[in-house]
Amino acid sequence: MFKRNPALSIGAGTGLLALGVCAVLAGPAQATSQQVIDLAVGNDGVVQTHVGGPGLSVGDEFVYADKLFRHGKQVGQDGSSCQVTKLVGEKITTNCVLSVQLPGGQITAQSLWVKGTDTVRMAVTGGTGVYRGATGELTCNDIQTPHETYRITLDR
């Protein structure tokens, strides 16, 4: 007659449990699709607010407004503000928040930006309407030039 060894049963059970946990944690890679929105930016205005003494200082703010275009047709607008968080010589670091209004809703993004660099990658922090719960990345290229563009890559 076949006799069970309790230690062997516990060891086998523990091994199977560990394999099950690993399978759940490793799980199959989920396919993700992305939505990409490319926009041309038409700078519509900028205002600088001083909070300290004369000259640029931490806490000063730049407020921007832009028109957004696709294939030469205006499809939206944006608004952003960048507060100066650090000054080291000519290097100006700002914390920027951006809201992009498009047909169907809005997308929000945020990032640190060193003023004068021509590219910044912003984290998409949310959205409204068809963009509700949006995540991803908004890349600004050629900032504050006539060739400025946004590439918004949303995880779907």
Side-chain angles (χ1 to χ4, degrees):
M1 177 166 213
F2 179 33
K3 202 170 189 184
R4 252 190 193 170
N5 179 338
L8 186 56
S9 295
I10 291 171
T14 303
L16 288 174
L17 177 62
L19 284 174
V21 168
C22 287
V24 168
L25 293 176
Q30 296 201 0
T32 60
S33 61
Q34 294 181 331
Q35 177 183 3
V36 176
I37 303 168
D38 287 314
L39 300 165
V41 178
N43 301 121
D44 204 21
V46 61
V47 174
Q48 182 179 352
T49 304
H50 294 283
V51 296
L56 194 62
S57 60
V58 171
D60 286 358
E61 184 172 45
F62 300 90
V63 178
Y64 303 93
D66 302 300
K67 294 178 182 174
L68 304 174
F69 300 88
R70 187 177 303 136
H71 309 295
K73 179 183 173 203
Q74 185 175 348
V75 295
Q77 63 183 348
D78 74 18
S80 65
S81 62
C82 297
Q83 290 181 319
V84 176
T85 58
K86 187 175 184 179
L87 294 168
V88 178
E90 296 294 315
K91 188 175 174 182
I92 304 164
T93 302
T94 62
N95 180 46
C96 299
V97 177
L98 171 68
S99 297
V100 174
Q101 184 178 44
L102 296 170
Q106 296 187 36
I107 299 168
T108 58
Q110 184 170 354
S111 181
L112 287 178
W113 174 50
V114 177
K115 202 160 170 47
T117 57
D118 65 351
T119 299
V120 65
R121 288 181 140 77
M122 303 182 83
V124 171
T125 56
T128 65
V130 299
Y131 306 109
R132 184 176 177 185
T135 61
E137 185 173 274
L138 188 153
T139 303
C140 306
N141 293 298
D142 299 318
I143 298 169
Q144 295 179 327
T145 73
H147 307 289
E148 185 172 352
T149 61
Y150 294 161
R151 171 164 272 205
I152 306 170
T153 306
L154 300 175
D155 304 324
R156 291 284 183 190

